[in-house]
Amino acid sequence: MKLQLLPLTSSWVTKVSVITYILVFLLLVRIHEVLPAFPSQKDAIKQGIDLDAAWSDLETITQVPHPYNSRANEVVRNYLLERVREVANRYPTVHISDDSISNISYVENKVTGIYVEGSNILVKVEGRNKSLPAVLFSAHFDSSALALGVTDDGMGTISLLSLIEHFARDQPLRTALFNLNNGEEDGLCGSHTFFRHPWWKEADTFLNIEGAGSGGRPILFRASSAELVKAFRHTDQPHGTITSSDAFSLGLVRSMTDFEVYAGRGGMNGLDVSFYFNRDKYHTMDDNIANLGNRAPFWTILKLTRDVGSHLTNTEHHEEKQRPVYWDVLGRFMVVFGMDGLVWLLPCTLVATVVVTLGMGSYVWYMGEQPSPSRQWIHFPLCLTFSILCSSFFVTILCKINPL
């Protein structure tokens, strides 16, 4: 007696495929578009983050546009300097360099000559093992001339301020360097002048926090090492895919971040994390606290910075430099492996496809069906063409709504 297996009829396969596609699509939209609720102040304190204090800092530094070399920029810088001094006064492992001396000349995009005198705020939190290379954390506190700079890059700056306090209380294994840099919007000036400061030679790894939109979920834009991406397995809400890194490599993303400078001039391995939702509000007055909706985006970057930063500074070895392949699974887990793994994965996938196809053919034979090649083999190219057209249509719509 033959087994009663599910029928492979056109109607059954179509219904199951459509329902599965819709369910997966809705699930992905829910995960990527709707952030989990932020915790209460009491619960945030239990996790080692003073959410109310950080929110107050963010409100303070984003009241007005504060571009490089403006009076408002100097006010923001003085506020941040006072805040890190408060931490340094309480903890002897915290050291500050109010760097108004470093200066540099360089060529931007092979056409523009730039000379800049730095005004970065550098902070060093000593690690337990000073023989290990330090980890650099970077965010810029200047805004565009026409923006309040909440997402670009106020949330990144205050996230690092929170991380400084965390490392001061709980000393990491590696030394942590912080570059609260100035002038990013005018040609990545703050990251360039960092390499005129003697501390830069102490670091071999970096985490850069950036903002290229307004609120939403931060994404791992790009990474230079598979080993570093594994740090995202230690946070609750990892989000990233290798396609964003490919977009930068192909020149499809026109924005630049300090990642280029640290990885290029400095030759360091690093991670580039950024907000990207609501791209239409980027570098406008709509990049404000009201458009965040609530504290959820801010909490997400605070928690991510603390989790990833803690893993980077408490891991002894970062030597592995293999180019990464990575993607998140439903915003809960980060799959990551090196290019060597991809070389094995592709042929295995091809072999598995052949095995599955032969298995389905055997099943059809087992059921006594006699498929007509003239009618049914044309289904595959038609379905493939239709899926490509649909994907292209939705990508075009997305680029119109949230252009790179």
Side-chain angles (χ1 to χ4, degrees):
M1 182 178 69
K2 292 186 176 182
L3 298 175
Q4 297 298 315
L5 301 177
L6 295 174
L8 286 178
T9 62
S10 299
S11 175
W12 183 85
V13 172
T14 300
K15 290 177 182 177
V16 170
S17 299
V18 170
I19 292 174
T20 302
Y21 183 88
I22 292 174
L23 290 177
V24 171
F25 177 77
L26 293 177
L27 180 61
L28 291 176
V29 169
R30 175 66 176 79
I31 291 172
H32 290 163
E33 299 290 335
V34 181
L35 289 171
F38 61 91
S40 65
Q41 171 68 359
K42 182 178 180 180
D43 290 337
I45 290 293
K46 290 180 179 178
Q47 299 182 57
I49 298 175
D50 191 337
L51 181 57
D52 284 351
W55 185 258
S56 176
D57 288 333
L58 181 64
E59 290 179 322
T60 300
I61 70 171
T62 59
Q63 295 179 8
V64 297
H66 44 284
Y68 179 62
N69 264 352
S70 67
R71 183 181 298 274
N73 180 272
E74 190 67 20
V75 171
V76 169
R77 186 178 187 278
N78 289 337
Y79 177 82
L80 293 173
L81 189 58
E82 183 61 30
R83 288 284 287 109
V84 295
R85 280 173 175 165
E86 292 174 2
V87 179
N89 289 336
R90 299 198 309 268
Y91 299 95
T93 58
V94 179
H95 309 279
I96 300 172
S97 176
D98 179 6
D99 186 18
S100 57
I101 299 176
S102 299
N103 60 86
I104 189 172
S105 299
Y106 60 96
V107 177
E108 183 74 15
N109 294 327
K110 299 181 180 180
V111 294
T112 305
I114 296 178
Y115 168 77
V116 60
E117 297 179 354
S119 54
N120 298 335
I121 300 173
L122 302 177
V123 180
K124 179 193 290 188
V125 182
E126 294 178 358
R128 301 190 304 275
N129 188 342
K130 297 181 179 61
S131 65
L132 293 174
V135 179
L136 170 67
F137 299 90
S138 178
H140 67 91
F141 62 81
D142 62 305
S143 73
S144 167
L146 300 175
L148 299 177
V150 171
T151 302
D152 182 25
D153 189 21
M155 289 199 288
T157 299
I158 301 305
S159 294
L160 296 194
L161 185 60
S162 175
L163 190 60
I164 291 171
E165 295 180 303
H166 172 72
F167 285 157
R169 294 191 304 268
D170 186 7
Q171 188 178 23
L173 177 66
R174 290 173 177 260
T175 294
L177 299 179
F178 294 84
N179 184 18
L180 305 181
N181 72 79
N182 199 5
E184 191 270 353
E185 300 291 359
D186 291 275
L188 310 180
C189 300
S191 53
H192 279 287
T193 55
F194 173 71
F195 290 99
R196 287 293 186 265
H197 193 281
W199 284 0
W200 86 266
K201 298 178 182 179
E202 300 181 22
D204 69 345
T205 305
F206 70 90
L207 171 64
N208 183 56
I209 308 294
E210 185 55 270
S214 178
R217 186 184 296 271
I219 187 174
L220 175 58
F221 256 164
R222 48 190 163 169
S224 52
S225 166
E227 187 65 30
L228 295 182
V229 180
K230 292 178 182 178
F232 276 73
R233 292 177 175 175
H234 298 269
T235 190
D236 298 335
Q237 302 170 36
H239 179 39
T241 169
I242 187 61
T243 55
S244 61
S245 179
D246 291 338
F248 271 100
S249 300
L250 294 172
L252 299 178
V253 179
R254 293 180 292 274
S255 299
M256 293 192 299
T257 73
D258 289 324
F259 182 95
E260 280 94 346
V261 181
Y262 296 131
R265 178 186 288 272
M268 293 188 283
N269 287 326
L271 303 168
D272 201 16
V273 176
S274 178
F275 291 92
Y276 68 104
F277 275 51
N278 301 315
R279 181 72 171 174
D280 59 308
K281 296 178 175 60
Y282 178 54
H283 282 182
T284 71
M285 292 297 288
D286 288 330
D287 180 15
N288 55 45
I289 285 182
N291 281 323
L292 290 182
N294 53 44
R295 298 185 182 185
F298 187 42
W299 169 255
T300 302
I301 192 63
L302 283 170
K303 186 69 163 52
L304 184 148
T305 303
R306 204 277 305 274
D307 293 343
V308 174
S310 295
H311 179 76
L312 292 177
T313 53
N314 287 287
T315 302
E316 288 194 9
H317 302 290
H318 291 161
E319 289 88 353
E320 193 272 328
K321 297 182 180 181
Q322 189 176 175
R323 183 184 175 189
V325 178
Y326 58 91
W327 66 88
D328 70 274
V329 179
L330 302 179
R332 292 294 179 268
F333 180 77
M334 186 70 81
V335 176
V336 55
F337 49 86
M339 288 298 294
D340 289 347
L342 183 63
V343 171
W344 283 99
L345 179 63
L346 289 179
C348 290
T349 302
L350 293 174
V351 171
T353 301
V354 173
V355 171
V356 171
T357 302
L358 293 176
M360 293 182 66
S362 301
Y363 171 70
V364 171
W365 173 82
Y366 176 80
M367 296 296 293
E369 299 289 340
Q370 297 295 326
S372 174
S374 62
R375 290 189 300 108
Q376 297 194 17
W377 284 103
I378 195 65
H379 289 178
F380 174 74
L382 288 177
C383 291
L384 180 62
T385 302
F386 179 75
S387 63
I388 291 175
L389 292 175
C390 287
S391 298
S392 300
F393 171 76
F394 286 119
V395 167
T396 302
I397 295 298
L398 177 61
C399 289
K400 292 292 185 181
I401 297 174
N402 192 38
L404 299 174

